[in-house]
Amino acid sequence: MTQPRDPASLRHLVVLGHPGLDSFNHAIVRAYREEVERLHQIVEVDDLYARNFDPLLRRDELPGPGFKPRPDVATSLAQIEGASAIVLVYPIWFGMPPAMIKGYVDRVLGADFSPEELKAQLPSPALRGKRLIIFSTSAATRPWLEERGQWLALKQAFDIYLTRAFGLADCHHVHFDAVVPGLDGRFVAEHLATVRQTARERATVLRYGDLPPKLLLEPNV
């Protein structure tokens, strides 16, 4: 068995891409944070809308010899450097993640990562070996998304592509569909229980390594 890592050394960077303070996406972040902190690991939340993150990639941010991140990107890169897991939380709007999340991918995850490095299958120095966790929501049902090919497109573009392109260790994606205003409280509770269970499993994997999370769950402490 791999020697367990000190929980206090494990940091989860949660990147939130939803503007509504009363949204289910915000509730996901709260539940995930509470569960991870209960297991004595560290959670840092980057609420992109709250800090008015600019999703537009500017000309001077293109990769190259003179690349220098702007202050907001430099802050994000420092957050990533100390993180063991990157957790993206976002809604699906018009079949795609919001522009705020795509901008975070362009400006932060892809910072100074050139097409040549991508073609050569070189991992991103900033992201290599880190674990990606995604929580997404949609008003449409998953069968509806699947019928239109949108679910497969999302999985290919984000889960599979980003993991391979940046050299991430893996991607664990949890999706909640039919999330609409006035959602029944029972369903909210069930969904948040899933968030907490996922948080426990991912925290266990971070601490103990690539072991089946259902066989090795953190104790309820």
Side-chain angles (χ1 to χ4, degrees):
M1 180 179 293
T2 304
Q3 184 67 26
R5 300 172 66 184
D6 179 4
S9 70
L10 300 172
R11 184 179 299 272
H12 303 239
L13 173 61
V14 180
V15 181
L16 172 60
H18 195 294
L21 296 178
D22 60 348
S23 68
F24 183 66
N25 282 248
H26 278 72
I28 289 173
V29 172
R30 289 192 295 271
Y32 187 90
R33 182 174 195 164
E34 289 169 1
E35 195 64 26
V36 170
E37 290 181 341
R38 191 181 64 81
L39 299 173
H40 311 296
Q41 296 184 21
I42 308 301
V43 177
E44 184 172 7
V45 176
D46 185 4
D47 186 336
L48 299 180
Y49 281 94
R51 69 178 175 103
N52 293 318
F53 176 77
D54 183 0
L56 297 180
L57 178 70
R58 311 292 178 174
R59 182 181 301 176
D60 62 353
E61 293 181 290
L62 294 174
F67 173 80
K68 183 178 180 180
R70 294 191 177 197
D72 60 339
V73 171
T75 297
S76 296
L77 291 175
Q79 292 175 325
I80 287 175
E81 182 179 4
S84 302
I86 300 170
V87 186
L88 302 180
V89 182
Y90 60 80
I92 294 174
W93 289 339
F94 301 105
M96 295 173 286
M100 192 67 86
I101 290 294
K102 182 58 169 65
Y104 185 87
V105 172
D106 291 345
R107 297 189 65 217
V108 179
L109 300 187
D112 200 27
F113 192 65
S114 70
E116 290 74 23
E117 291 172 303
L118 182 60
K119 291 178 183 178
Q121 299 183 339
L122 299 175
S124 165
L127 298 172
R128 181 177 186 175
K130 296 183 186 296
R131 298 183 184 275
L132 178 63
I133 303 163
I134 297 176
F135 292 98
S136 60
T137 63
S138 64
T141 64
R142 180 162 165 175
W144 190 91
L145 293 172
E146 290 176 345
E147 288 172 4
R148 285 151 182 79
Q150 202 59 47
W151 180 249
L152 179 60
L154 287 166
K155 294 283 289 183
Q156 290 284 353
F158 263 63
D159 301 21
I160 297 173
Y161 184 84
L162 293 184
T163 300
R164 292 177 178 174
F166 294 133
L168 294 159
D170 57 20
C171 176
H172 187 83
H173 190 159
V174 178
H175 180 69
F176 299 104
D177 65 352
V179 175
V180 295
L183 187 65
D184 189 285
R186 292 173 298 174
F187 292 112
V188 171
E190 289 175 3
H191 290 343
L192 293 182
T194 298
V195 172
R196 294 179 184 278
Q197 174 68 16
T198 301
R200 288 194 297 273
E201 292 182 353
R202 294 298 96 192
T204 299
V205 169
L206 284 185
R207 187 174 182 191
Y208 293 98
D210 291 318
L211 296 175
K214 291 185 178 180
L215 299 181
L216 183 59
L217 292 178
E218 289 279 7
N220 291 324
V221 294

